[in-house]
Amino acid sequence: MDQLLRFAVMVAGSVREVSDFAVVDTGRLRRVMVVGSASTTLLDVGGVGMEMQLSIAARPEAVSFDPGRTAVMVIDMQNDFGCRGGMFDRAGLDVAPIAHLVQPISRLLEAARRNALLIVYTRQEHNADLSDAGNEDAPHRIKHKRLNIGEAVVAPSGIQSQILVRDTWNTAIVPELEPQPGDAVISKHRYSAFFETSLDSLLRARRINTLIFTGATTSICVESTVRDATFRDYRCIVLRDCKAELIAADTMRSNHEASLLAIELLFGWTAESEAVIDALSRSAKAG
């Protein structure tokens, strides 16, 4: 192992010659003090070498990520948004664009799980009495009234449920993307998954620095979470083919495209899911 660590340190290029080193931190990621001929520095190395950086094609330029410090975010892929009988469907909106995300997201999650990436699901949901939806004059409460938030309904299976209320059919993750053991599920009561949740603490405890975004909808819950993530210095990669937007979907210039442009300019990067899957596949073969 000493020779492997020495090799990994030299590959990093920080020093041309390594005269000595010492592990000063332990865990999944080990911090090594490297003594070179002209300097001493600290490098983070994994149990079997350097942190892995996978580069993928993206906009506005290529971007890299370390699988060990990356989480895949699955934003609000729940029945209320993507299924017949859910909130959007009852409001007369076409949920097909969200339903069509299931296949590409599923393929990405399979690759992520094979490579031990953290997967984080979010669900937008409220208490049955809507006590966490704001008071009657709060914008969040007012805007959701037209979508009948809290209304008692019958789910397609015949069971009793409530629109956008936790622990009901309406806010359950769509069956095709059901969370697996080891995945994290974040319950949120506003558009951003960082607002009054444990998400930031969860990510920092796992030393996550990069978030790969999937889910719906592009310009609301996804973009809100991306903005909050960027403010907290997470690197955000939004997958264009794993996003859907119902607002202005039938117009020449959609909210979906506007959000992606804003993200590319100021908040992160956008890419295709195949680029991530291919990079993870190459990494697995190399390992």
Side-chain angles (χ1 to χ4, degrees), residues 178-229:
E178 185 178 6
Q180 302 298 309
D183 298 342
V185 180
I186 296 293
S187 173
K188 64 187 182 71
H189 55 274
R190 291 297 188 274
Y191 301 132
S192 171
F194 285 96
F195 180 77
E196 295 184 353
T197 74
S198 61
L199 178 58
D200 189 49
S201 297
L202 167 70
L203 297 175
R204 296 195 187 282
R206 295 286 294 267
R207 301 187 74 250
I208 299 297
N209 63 10
T210 301
L211 305 178
I212 296 176
F213 280 87
T214 71
T217 64
T218 312
S219 72
I220 306 299
C221 292
V222 173
E223 184 177 330
S224 294
T225 304
V226 167
R227 286 174 180 251
D228 267 3

Side-chain angles (χ1 to χ4, degrees), residues 98-109:
I98 297 177
H100 289 161
L101 299 180
V102 168
Q103 184 176 7
I105 292 177
S106 180
R107 292 187 66 248
L108 176 72
L109 295 184

Side-chain angles (χ1 to χ4, degrees), residues 49-62:
M50 293 297 301
E51 286 189 35
M52 183 182 301
Q53 291 294 327
L54 305 180
S55 180
I56 61 171
R59 298 176 187 167
E61 66 271 318

Side-chain angles (χ1 to χ4, degrees), residues 15-35:
V15 291
R16 292 189 176 183
E17 295 182 9
V18 177
S19 58
D20 198 9
F21 62 89
V23 177
V24 296
D25 196 4
T26 59
R28 182 187 182 280
L29 214 60
R30 291 194 262 180
R31 178 153 293 184
V32 175
M33 180 175 292
V34 184
V35 181

Side-chain angles (χ1 to χ4, degrees), residues 77-130:
M77 288 298 295
Q78 58 198 71
N79 293 329
D80 257 334
F81 300 153
C83 292
R84 297 295 301 273
M87 181 178 74
F88 282 170
D89 180 57
R90 289 174 178 273
L93 299 173
D94 181 10
V95 299
I98 297 177
H100 289 161
L101 299 180
V102 168
Q103 184 176 7
I105 292 177
S106 180
R107 292 187 66 248
L108 176 72
L109 295 184
E110 288 177 6
R113 291 189 174 106
R114 284 196 300 268
N115 287 267
L117 272 69
L118 174 65
I119 297 172
V120 181
Y121 290 81
T122 71
R123 296 190 305 243
Q124 184 168 333
E125 53 191 7
H126 295 281
N127 297 330
D129 62 1
L130 304 183

